[in-house]
Amino acid sequence: MHYDNIKEGRFESRPNRFIAYVTIDGRREKVHVKNTGRCRELLTENALVYLSKSNNPLRSTSYDLVAVQKSHRIINMDSQSPNKAVEEWLKAGGLFPDVKLVRPEMTYHSSRLDFYVETPEDKIFIEVKGVTLEQEDVVLFPDAPSERALKHINELIEAAGEGYKAYVLFVIQMEKVKCFTPNRKTQPEFATALLRAKQAGVKILAFDCKVTPDSMVIHEPVPVRLSLLEAVAEPLLKWYDLVKRILPWRGEPTPYRVWVSEIMLQQTRVEAVKPYYDRFMRALPDISHLAQAEEDELLKLWEGLGYYNRVRNLKKAAQIIMEEYGGVMPSEYEELLRLPGIGSYTAGAISSIACGKREPAVDGNVLRILARLEGDERDISSQSVRTQVEEKVRQAIPKQRPGDFNQALMELGATVCIPTGAPHCGECPWKGFCIAHLTDRELDYPYKAKKKPRTVEEKTVLIIRDESRAALRQRPKKGLLAGMYEFPCLEGHLSEEEVLDYLREKEGLLVLKIEALQRSKHIFTHKEWHMIGYAVKVDELAEKRKDSDLIFVERQEARERYPIPSAYHAYLQNFLS
């Protein structure tokens, strides 16, 4: 489409939606604005604007404001130009080479849709939306809430259901943009409607335009990112490339190394995991070694990381891999889920990071940052919400860099959009998109239903020593801290007299000295241990009862051989010091 008699001017002000004041050749002129939208980011003071002179001498304004210069590009802001440009394009076979009929303004049910098109095979409805809002080369629609636009989307969904082909065509009234995404901040309902439309079979397209001061022509397709996450993938990956941490498991991301690191990182900080990971890899460098490891060796390697069923499941899974997969870890997400101890997050991490599959790896970090990004007030502890977020991430994962994308999400949650305290929004690649940040509500997200309070259990821990050894006993093979070794641990907070009675009657030990130790507390997922302790000196020549399950070990053995839970850290240090 083309304009006649274009004149340059400088924008001054816009007192209402329909008129503006500009300076043309040194004189102040009232002009008609051919766009009733806000356009605040375009019509800034002294902006270079382009005006089309009217041929109607009876008009109160002699010019129409049709385009504006913004940075390096001209943006057409005439709200009538998208339909005119699309009509010319359609008739020239731009979208459908075998087009038979192009009819503007066709009534369908209670709406007038922009175009009805026929080809030899199809009957087609098209709704056109002009786009002028641009942020960092990403274009968005709408710039203000539009019930009319929402109604049109719903009508297209109905048309698709009745057998018509249906299209939403976003005409980007500028050139060389990165992608289009719906403006969730302005109208989240429209973004949701577009997703529903896509699922119903409506095609969502976007094309940029070659724009000059006196023309606008449909040019090239623009990527459509219907979810906000799709739209912000590129800045996220650029940020990750610049700031990603050097971690031992990232240098050589084989399936085994990724698997072990992700299991260790559950509920544990990265810095705390590093030495455990290095030690584990030296002792058990591959799946074969892991499958053959003795349980006591495994538990000792894991000592201090907690959640010991994790390492037991590692071994069970390794044995299955050796028996059923010939020692080669499967790469497919569904196959990985069959292995003990591997849930959706770990399966996604292995298949994407090590095998290049487009699978999501959604943990608490990812749930938190996406809740803030989208202003999502749903309960992230809900399994249905997690499932929906996983699917959203799966749709957004770039084909070329699935593993990097998942790791970038993890990195952002670990280093910038942190779980405790204020997030470091100034360092965030999403600060221009994040709804929580843009509304100053970062700490309101995510929402998580309150957990039941942990139960508190009182314990009395005994460091029973002779001249060089201390007593340990092995915990039951099932249950909390299964199979680990512990100092004798009695229920309740016992007095010295009660401890002495127990040692004499239950263990048959002769006590030479007893003294109280410091209190300690350890927090498990669903319970807390509140512990008191006693250091008990016993006669090394005295014989314990034959039915006692106590074993006496040297300091070096306690350090190197026997896996002792971190719950007893304070009391272990008393023995080792």
Side-chain angles (χ1 to χ4, degrees):
M1 62 152 295
H2 187 269
Y3 301 100
D4 295 322
N5 301 321
I6 288 293
K7 194 79 173 174
E8 289 186 3
R10 291 286 175 177
F11 177 79
E12 288 188 10
S13 63
R14 187 182 185 184
N16 60 48
R17 292 188 301 162
F18 304 102
I19 66 167
Y21 287 95
V22 301
T23 302
I24 305 174
D25 295 333
R27 71 180 187 280
R28 192 169 189 256
E29 183 91 22
K30 183 171 78 170
V31 301
H32 174 237
V33 181
K34 295 197 73 175
N35 188 318
T36 57
R38 296 171 185 173
C39 302
R40 290 172 182 166
E41 76 290 344
L42 297 178
L43 296 178
T44 58
E45 187 176 356
N46 206 41
L48 176 61
V49 294
Y50 300 96
L51 306 119
S52 174
K53 187 169 177 59
S54 171
N55 294 321
N56 182 357
L58 300 179
R59 273 183 39 168
S60 61
T61 55
S62 299
Y63 293 92
D64 293 316
L65 196 162
V66 296
V68 60
Q69 185 83 34
K70 182 185 177 187
S71 184
H72 61 283
R73 59 166 61 98
I74 298 175
I75 299 177
N76 180 292
M77 51 181 293
D78 180 353
S79 59
Q80 296 176 8
S81 64
N83 282 43
K84 292 178 181 178
V86 167
E87 184 174 2
E88 293 175 0
W89 182 61
L90 288 173
K91 287 180 176 179
L95 189 56
F96 309 107
D98 54 352
V99 64
K100 290 170 46 182
L101 171 69
V102 176
R103 182 182 298 165
E105 294 289 322
M106 181 74 170
T107 299
Y108 175 77
H109 290 184
S110 60
S111 292
R112 289 180 66 81
L113 298 176
D114 287 323
F115 291 98
Y116 171 74
V117 177
E118 288 186 3
T119 69
E121 295 81 23
D122 297 310
K123 296 180 178 180
I124 305 158
F125 281 108
I126 301 174
E127 181 64 19
V128 175
K129 301 297 177 189
V131 182
T132 61
L133 178 59
E134 173 268 331
Q135 297 174 356
E136 299 182 20
D137 292 335
V138 174
V139 287
L140 304 99
F141 180 92
D143 62 355
S146 172
E147 291 303 316
R148 183 169 175 269
L150 199 58
K151 180 183 177 184
H152 288 157
I153 299 301
N154 290 329
E155 295 280 22
L156 287 173
I157 292 173
E158 286 191 36
E162 293 178 3
Y164 292 96
K165 299 291 184 183
Y167 287 75
V168 182
L169 179 57
F170 291 98
V171 176
I172 315 304
Q173 294 173 244
M174 66 196 83
E175 195 176 355
K176 295 180 180 177
V177 297
K178 291 178 180 176
C179 64
F180 165 82
T181 192
N183 192 346
R184 289 160 194 80
K185 182 183 177 185
T186 296
Q187 192 175 22
E189 300 85 358
F190 183 76
T192 302
L194 278 183
L195 284 169
R196 284 194 294 106
K198 181 181 179 182
Q199 292 164 358
V202 178
K203 295 191 180 299
I204 317 293
L205 304 179
F207 281 78
D208 74 357
C209 294
K210 275 194 172 297
V211 178
T212 68
D214 65 353
S215 69
M216 189 179 88
V217 178
I218 305 294
H219 186 217
E220 292 182 338
V222 169
V224 174
R225 310 288 187 233
L226 290 186
S227 76
L228 181 56
L229 184 56
E230 289 179 90
V232 297
E234 184 178 346
L236 174 68
L237 285 167
K238 285 184 176 179
W239 169 84
Y240 178 69
D241 289 339
L242 291 172
V243 305
K244 63 183 176 184
R245 292 168 293 176
I246 297 173
L247 300 174
W249 44 87
R250 282 182 177 165
E252 188 184 347
T254 64
Y256 178 64
R257 290 166 67 88
V258 173
W259 175 34
V260 171
S261 67
E262 290 299 341
I263 298 297
M264 285 186 170
L265 286 164
Q266 292 170 13
Q267 309 290 332
T268 312
R269 294 178 301 105
V270 166
E271 291 306 313
V273 163
K274 285 180 180 179
Y276 287 97
Y277 175 83
D278 289 337
R279 185 176 67 180
F280 196 95
M281 283 296 149
R282 286 195 300 271
L284 306 172
D286 54 36
I287 292 173
S288 174
H289 283 82
L290 173 59
Q292 298 174 58
E294 295 293 334
E295 179 161 304
D296 279 357
E297 180 188 11
L298 279 177
L299 294 176
K300 191 63 182 176
L301 287 168
W302 208 264
E303 181 184 282
L305 282 173
Y307 303 95
Y308 292 92
N309 274 339
R310 293 184 294 174
V311 73
R312 290 190 176 91
N313 283 327
L314 275 173
K315 179 179 176 178
K316 289 178 186 176
Q319 291 172 330
I320 292 172
I321 293 168
M322 294 302 297
E323 293 168 5
E324 298 184 16
Y325 297 93
V328 178
M329 194 162 197
S331 62
E332 296 300 326
Y333 181 81
E334 296 299 333
E335 289 292 307
L336 289 164
L337 285 175
R338 293 181 57 241
L339 297 172
I342 294 185
S344 60
Y345 167 77
T346 306
I350 296 167
S351 59
S352 64
I353 298 170
C355 307
K357 308 287 186 181
R358 293 181 70 233
E359 297 292 350
V362 175
D363 64 354
N365 272 332
V366 174
L367 289 167
R368 178 178 63 259
I369 65 174
L370 296 188
R372 287 173 174 168
L373 173 68
E374 300 184 341
D376 189 341
E377 297 184 350
R378 295 177 299 172
D379 180 5
I380 65 167
S381 61
S382 162
Q383 183 56 49
S384 64
V385 171
R386 177 184 286 266
T387 300
Q388 292 170 34
V389 171
E390 286 176 341
E391 186 54 36
K392 182 184 298 182
V393 173
R394 181 179 282 108
Q395 296 297 325
I397 294 173
K399 293 180 181 178
Q400 302 303 318
R401 302 183 64 185
D404 283 346
F405 180 76
N406 279 333
Q407 289 184 97
L409 291 174
M410 300 172 200
E411 193 84 352
L412 191 66
T415 64
V416 174
C417 199
I418 54 178
T420 55
H424 310 310
C425 296
E427 303 168 23
C428 182
W430 291 350
K431 58 181 177 286
F433 306 95
C434 176
I435 290 174
H437 177 61
L438 294 172
T439 56
D440 295 321
R441 294 183 59 202
E442 295 94 338
L443 297 182
D444 290 345
Y445 302 96
Y447 172 74
K448 186 186 292 187
K450 290 184 178 179
K451 294 180 179 180
K452 293 180 181 179
R454 287 186 290 265
T455 58
V456 174
E457 296 180 0
E458 295 183 340
K459 304 283 184 180
T460 299
V461 180
L462 306 180
I463 312 300
I464 304 170
R465 303 174 59 173
D466 59 17
E467 287 301 320
S468 62
R469 301 173 300 165
L472 298 177
R473 62 159 51 104
Q474 189 172 26
R475 291 182 63 85
K477 293 294 184 182
K478 293 185 178 180
L480 183 67
L481 305 176
M484 302 287 285
Y485 289 82
E486 66 177 358
F487 297 107
C489 185
L490 310 179
E491 296 296 328
H493 284 173
L494 305 186
S495 66
E496 285 190 12
E497 285 71 22
E498 289 172 316
V499 169
L500 291 171
D501 287 344
Y502 165 80
L503 293 173
R504 182 176 58 254
E505 296 174 9
K506 299 294 185 183
E507 302 296 344
L509 294 172
L510 177 61
V511 176
L512 302 178
K513 182 181 179 182
I514 183 170
E515 61 177 316
L517 298 174
Q518 74 271 33
R519 291 175 177 263
S520 183
K521 181 171 75 172
H522 189 79
I523 297 175
F524 299 94
T525 304
H526 302 297
K527 65 176 65 178
E528 295 180 15
W529 281 3
H530 291 193
M531 295 171 280
I532 64 172
Y534 292 96
V536 180
K537 182 72 177 295
V538 297
D539 186 345
E540 63 180 334
L541 299 178
E543 292 187 7
K544 61 185 176 68
R545 294 174 62 98
K546 291 182 179 180
D547 59 353
S548 173
D549 58 359
L550 297 181
I551 57 172
F552 280 80
V553 303
E554 302 285 347
R555 290 187 180 90
Q556 194 70 13
E557 290 179 299
R559 284 194 188 95
E560 298 177 359
R561 179 179 172 186
Y562 291 95
I564 300 172
S566 58
Y568 297 102
H569 177 75
Y571 301 110
L572 177 61
Q573 294 308 306
N574 177 274
F575 170 51
L576 297 178
S577 61

